[in-house]
Amino acid sequence: ARLGIPPGKRILAEAFAAELPRAVTGRNGKVPWGGVSTRAYATHADSIVAEIERTKGPLEHVGLDVRWLLRRVAQLAEGQRSTTARDDREVIAGYALATWLRSWGVEQVTDCSWSD
């Protein structure tokens, strides 16, 4: 403040100007979250779908509707919004669970003790 520099994100942008691309440091406004989210889903939808499909059996075993999740990923990748505040919370939860299951080597219901 003593130097007459207004507080805010500009300080960080200038501090990291050498490490960050100009598209980040030179941006004057915010990008709508929906646009960022849509681009992310459009870019990574195949990976998300593949991860969920790999653990389809266990996900269905615990009560998730995998077909619905896969449809929702496709909708999000196409930019389709829902009426909920968080359009992707169920997808994120299913994707996180799928990733966690695979990290433990669980891809089939029979890969775990709860298959009995």
Side-chain angles (χ1 to χ4, degrees):
R2 286 187 305 247
L3 299 174
I5 301 171
K9 296 176 187 174
R10 175 62 41 205
I11 296 169
L12 289 173
E14 290 172 7
F16 291 103
E19 288 85 15
L20 295 172
R22 176 84 179 115
V24 173
T25 60
R27 188 167 56 99
N28 291 327
K30 293 186 177 186
V31 176
W33 176 250
V36 172
S37 176
T38 298
R39 285 195 304 274
Y41 276 104
T43 300
H44 301 288
D46 292 341
S47 298
I48 295 168
V49 165
E51 192 72 17
I52 291 172
E53 285 179 336
R54 282 186 199 114
T55 56
K56 179 182 178 183
L59 291 176
E60 289 177 338
H61 186 78
V62 298
L64 296 182
D65 184 343
V66 172
R67 288 185 312 162
W68 182 89
L69 283 172
L70 299 178
R71 275 195 315 271
R72 190 67 192 125
V73 171
Q75 291 168 344
L76 288 165
E78 293 170 3
Q80 293 181 21
R81 309 278 303 171
S82 73
T83 58
T84 62
R86 282 291 307 253
D87 290 302
D88 59 353
R89 65 177 164 229
E90 295 90 352
V91 171
I92 289 173
Y95 180 56
L97 182 56
T99 302
W100 180 77
L101 286 168
R102 281 199 354 105
S103 77
W104 283 93
V106 176
E107 293 187 23
Q108 305 295 322
V109 175
T110 55
D111 292 337
C112 53
S113 61
W114 42 289
S115 64
D116 299 333

